[in-house]
Amino acid sequence: MFFTKRRVRAALVAGAASAALLLTSCSGGGSGEDEAATDGPSFIYITSDPIGQNEFLKSGKVGIESVAETFEGTSKTFESKDDATRRSNLEAAIAEAPEVVVMLGFQFGDVAKELAEQNPQQNFMLIDTFVDGAPDNLYQATFREQEPSYLLGLEAGLLTEADKVGSVISVDNELLQKYSDGFAEGAKSVNPEVDTVAPQVIGGDNPFADPARGKEQALAFAASGVDQVFAVGAASNGGIIEAAAEKGFSTYGVDANQCPIAPGSVVDGTVKSVNRVIETVVGEIMDGTSSKDATSSFGLKEEGMTIVSLTEDAADSQCTIMENQDVLDQVTQARDDIVSGKIKVTDPLA
């Protein structure tokens, strides 16, 4: 058994822990014991937003619980809702001195670097963004979202009847542009005549979890003639998919299989395996891999991302793409070509 390091930060514990914790769960045997009552290592996962129906954040919780089980330890999940709770949750996690603190979301970038520099004895993992000049104790993992998005775009380019495709995204930032740009590039690769419309932005106060606003934006998008819509709205996707079912356009989901939400309206979707990323990188940290050598980029090759139609359960996915074997054959070949390096999908952040 791996024995955790014991580091005491009593000054931080009293103030930060009680103020920060919105939700805590224990795993690794289900005993409910706290870290002080076990010899096994502890791990803490902090979300950027409440988990709710966000499949991306759910996958992170699965990953941290899997890590705890693998190393015969315990895990906790702290849910955040804004910048203030992200910082206070991170401070509370540091106070507990776990083996690794895992943060999921681009919103953690600045505070992760700041607190990692202030606590060099603590291992941190930051997922979904990259911070320049990060210290060696801050491990970073990003996704190549443009790769599976390219595959969905290929489908859209072949299936569109209006020759007009586009994406509805939560916010207009570089991270989500990897989805929308990859989707457009894939569509153009098989249909040079297709019009790849600029993304429609959900925006508002809660762009990642506002189905009503997502639906409004999707309806406006469809009214412009777009018939293939990539829904990149996290928990807002339910509204986008509802609009597709009402108005008869086709849509594509993100993070998990969203085809059952409206069978017949969802063509396919990306799958973001945050759990696999956490298991891989935390495993490397526990093995003593330096931050320079730890895996930092996850795409189709590393199986950090894929699309629903290429998963083992694709036949039961209820995705409409499963009725188009000719298109699936092209998608499979494109996946293989991306993995081999024959196709290089443009990274807008490069």
Side-chain angles (χ1 to χ4, degrees):
M1 178 183 292
F2 185 95
F3 290 93
T4 186
K5 304 178 186 71
R6 299 293 180 180
R7 298 182 295 267
V8 179
R9 301 187 187 89
L12 286 173
V13 173
S18 60
L21 184 57
L22 297 181
L23 175 108
T24 302
S25 62
C26 294
S27 68
S31 65
E33 294 178 341
D34 62 21
E35 211 261 338
T38 177
D39 288 329
S42 66
F43 305 90
I44 294 179
Y45 165 55
I46 310 175
T47 69
S48 57
D49 296 284
I51 293 177
Q53 298 304 309
N54 191 319
E55 298 294 338
F56 177 54
L57 300 178
K58 286 182 183 179
S59 183
K61 190 169 188 293
V62 171
I64 205 71
E65 291 173 350
S66 174
V67 163
E69 182 176 355
T70 296
F71 291 98
E72 300 181 15
T74 60
S75 70
K76 290 182 179 181
T77 294
F78 295 177
E79 295 188 39
S80 310
K81 63 180 181 179
D82 52 27
D83 285 342
T85 53
R86 290 176 199 119
R87 175 178 284 274
S88 59
N89 277 339
L90 184 51
E91 290 172 343
I94 294 168
E96 295 198 19
E99 288 300 320
V100 185
V101 176
V102 177
M103 297 159 282
L104 179 57
F106 66 88
Q107 300 92 331
F108 282 105
D110 291 339
V111 70
K113 180 180 178 183
E114 175 191 342
L115 294 185
E117 290 174 340
Q118 294 175 9
N119 297 274
Q121 75 284 7
Q122 175 66 59
N123 286 320
F124 298 88
M125 179 183 176
L126 176 60
I127 306 174
D128 215 32
T129 193
F130 182 84
V131 180
D132 288 329
D136 286 345
N137 61 323
L138 177 57
Y139 295 73
Q140 302 186 79
T142 59
F143 295 92
R144 299 193 297 279
E145 291 92 348
Q146 67 273 14
E147 293 181 353
S149 300
Y150 178 98
L151 299 181
L152 297 188
L154 186 154
E155 295 174 2
L158 293 172
L159 296 174
T160 181
E161 296 180 359
D163 278 343
K164 202 169 185 180
V165 309
S167 304
V168 176
I169 60 180
S170 292
V171 294
D172 186 13
N173 67 12
E174 292 178 333
L175 173 61
L176 297 192
Q177 286 167 14
K178 291 201 286 184
Y179 287 99
S180 58
D181 287 8
F183 186 71
E185 186 174 342
K188 285 285 190 182
S189 73
V190 292
N191 185 354
E193 302 302 317
V194 73
D195 182 8
T196 52
V197 183
Q200 185 86 355
V201 180
I202 296 172
D205 295 332
N206 196 18
F208 294 96
D210 191 342
R213 189 172 175 87
K215 181 177 181 179
E216 290 176 3
Q217 300 303 323
L219 291 173
F221 209 36
S224 71
V226 177
D227 71 344
Q228 305 288 318
V229 176
F230 187 15
V232 192
S236 297
N237 267 16
I240 301 171
I241 293 170
E242 185 178 320
E246 290 182 8
K247 295 299 181 181
F249 61 87
S250 294
T251 190
Y252 301 74
V254 289
D255 298 335
N257 179 19
Q258 297 186 312
C259 297
I261 295 176
S265 296
V266 187
V267 179
D268 205 341
T270 64
V271 177
K272 206 168 194 179
S273 301
V274 180
N275 58 315
R276 183 185 298 273
V277 172
I278 292 176
E279 292 161 3
T280 298
V281 179
V282 173
E284 291 173 347
I285 294 172
M286 297 295 282
D287 289 341
T289 303
S290 73
S291 60
K292 293 180 181 179
D293 297 326
T295 309
S296 61
S297 180
F298 290 82
L300 297 176
K301 183 177 182 179
E302 298 79 13
E303 298 183 345
M305 297 201 75
T306 187
I307 58 175
V308 178
S309 59
L310 296 179
T311 62
E312 292 181 357
D313 301 325
D316 299 320
S317 66
Q318 301 185 58
C319 295
T320 63
I321 192 61
M322 303 309 297
E323 302 167 5
N324 295 272
Q325 188 59 50
D326 289 346
V327 176
L328 276 176
D329 289 343
Q330 293 187 58
V331 168
T332 302
Q333 183 61 56
R335 186 273 312 275
D336 293 345
D337 287 344
I338 291 171
V339 169
S340 70
K342 183 177 180 180
I343 293 177
K344 296 185 183 300
V345 185
T346 303
D347 181 356
L349 301 186

